[in-house]
Amino acid sequence: MKTHCRQRQYVFQIKKCGQSSCTICKSVQLPHDVFDSLDWLPDPIPSTVDKDHYAKFQTVYQSETTEQHRPTLITTIANSERASSSILVNTRVREFIQCFQCGRMRCLYSERALSAEDKIACQIAIDNWDYSCGSPLVPEDHILYNKVFVREKISCETPMELAYYSCRKSNVNCDVCYWCGHDNELAVPSESLKSKYKSLYPCCNLCRNAGKDIFVRGEIKTNTRAAKRRKINN
Ligand SMILES: [Zn+2]
Ligand SMILES: [Zn+2]
Ligand SMILES: [Zn+2]
C-alpha cells in the first residue's frame, strides 16, 4: 500500500514503484524519463498570490501537499463546536443560560461536574453576562473558557436543544416550546401521533398556528405481521 498507493479523501491513486526488484508490480513500460516525471496528483492548496483561490495545478504538481485545505474539511471545521460531541450530551448539562435576545434557555456542558469554585465562577458569568445565542459562555482568557461550554454554532433561530428536555436538571420547566423556547400554552398532540413516536416535544399554539409541526423522534415500528396475528388470535 505505502509504496504503490496513495489514499486521500478525494482520490485513490495507484502507481508502479519503478523498482526493478519489486515483487508486486511489473516493470515499467513507459520510457524512463516519462515515468520519472509522473508524480501523485496534488491536494488542493491555496494559491500564494491569491488567497481566495486554489493554486494552479502546474504550481503544485510535484510538490509535497497535504489534505488540510480540502473544502469539505474546512467547512466541517468551521461548523464544528469547540467542545467535542461527547461533552455536548444530556448527562453533562450542568446549568442553563438564557439568551437575552430570543429568551431561549441554552445548556451549559462540562466534561466533569463543576468544583465549588467553578460553580461560583459559572454563576457569576450567567448573572452578569448578556449572553446571546452563538457566543461562548465566557471570553477566551476566562478560567471556564475550556471547561464550560455552550453550543456556539447556533443562532436565535435554532430551536431548543433536545438535551434541555432529557437532562436531569430539566424537570423544573420541561414544558417550554421546542421551537420558540417560551412557556406559552401548548398544542395538544393527537393520539395517533402519540402512538407513532416515542418522544414528542412541546410545541406552543403560536408556533403550531405559524405552521410548525410538533417535533417528534423515535418512530415506533410496529411489527405489522405480529400485530395482525394478535388480532386473529383475539
Ligand atoms: Zn512495485
Ligand atoms: Zn437567542
Ligand atoms: Zn413556540
Side-chain angles (χ1 to χ4, degrees):
M1 270 296 268
K2 265 201 180 137
T3 47
H4 297 79
C5 309
R6 174 143 127 176
Q7 186 170 17
R8 292 289 216 250
Q9 206 70 43
Y10 289 156
V11 275
F12 181 75
Q13 307 176 62
I14 306 172
K15 194 159 84 78
K16 284 182 179 176
C17 67
Q19 310 282 322
S20 52
S21 57
C22 181
T23 53
I24 301 166
C25 61
K26 291 195 179 136
S27 64
V28 176
Q29 299 195 346
L30 283 170
H32 267 285
D33 55 328
V34 178
F35 179 81
D36 289 343
S37 73
L38 289 178
D39 194 11
W40 301 110
L41 292 175
D43 301 294
I45 295 293
S47 161
T48 45
V49 269
D50 178 3
K51 291 266 177 266
D52 290 334
H53 291 87
Y54 284 101
K56 285 205 170 71
F57 176 77
Q58 285 82 351
T59 53
V60 254
Y61 187 52
Q62 295 188 330
S63 66
E64 204 45 56
T65 59
T66 68
E67 290 195 288
Q68 58 181 349
H69 302 287
R70 268 195 296 136
T72 44
L73 180 67
I74 292 169
T75 30
T76 313
I77 291 171
N79 293 325
S80 60
E81 294 287 346
R82 279 197 300 124
S84 82
S85 50
S86 63
I87 294 179
L88 302 175
V89 293
N90 62 353
T91 49
R92 296 201 154 117
V93 174
R94 311 298 172 188
E95 283 301 332
F96 303 114
I97 191 163
Q98 187 170 30
C99 169
F100 83 95
Q101 284 181 317
C102 69
R104 286 185 187 81
M105 298 298 268
R106 300 304 191 186
C107 301
L108 299 181
Y109 305 84
S110 67
E111 186 167 17
R112 287 189 211 122
L114 295 179
S115 67
E117 192 188 341
D118 288 346
K119 250 185 204 165
I120 293 168
C122 187
Q123 198 53 53
I124 291 172
I126 294 171
D127 294 342
N128 295 334
W129 159 226
D130 275 342
Y131 165 78
S132 68
C133 300
S135 50
L137 170 66
V138 287
E140 242 170 274
D141 54 3
H142 194 281
I143 53 157
L144 296 181
Y145 185 72
N146 287 312
K147 232 183 234 175
V148 181
F149 300 94
V150 61
R151 283 182 184 277
E152 292 171 22
K153 305 298 173 188
I154 55 170
S155 72
C156 290
E157 308 295 309
T158 314
M160 296 295 292
E161 292 159 88
L162 298 185
Y164 177 79
Y165 297 99
S166 54
C167 71
R168 265 170 287 164
K169 292 188 77 75
S170 67
N171 47 6
V172 199
N173 47 9
C174 213
D175 47 2
V176 303
C177 173
Y178 167 78
W179 297 108
C180 68
H182 295 297
D183 59 350
N184 301 330
E185 200 183 318
L186 296 175
V188 183
S190 70
E191 288 303 318
S192 76
L193 196 67
K194 276 197 222 165
S195 66
K196 258 190 228 157
Y197 295 93
K198 287 192 196 112
S199 316
L200 282 74
Y201 293 84
C203 176
C204 76
N205 282 325
L206 290 178
C207 290
R208 191 79 188 90
N209 294 337
K212 294 285 190 205
D213 286 322
I214 292 178
F215 186 76
V216 290
R217 279 185 87 205
E219 197 177 346
I220 299 169
K221 295 211 171 68
T222 42
N223 186 337
T224 43
R225 207 180 284 168
K228 265 184 207 152
R229 208 176 301 139
R230 223 174 293 133
K231 247 184 213 162
I232 294 165
N233 289 345
N234 286 346

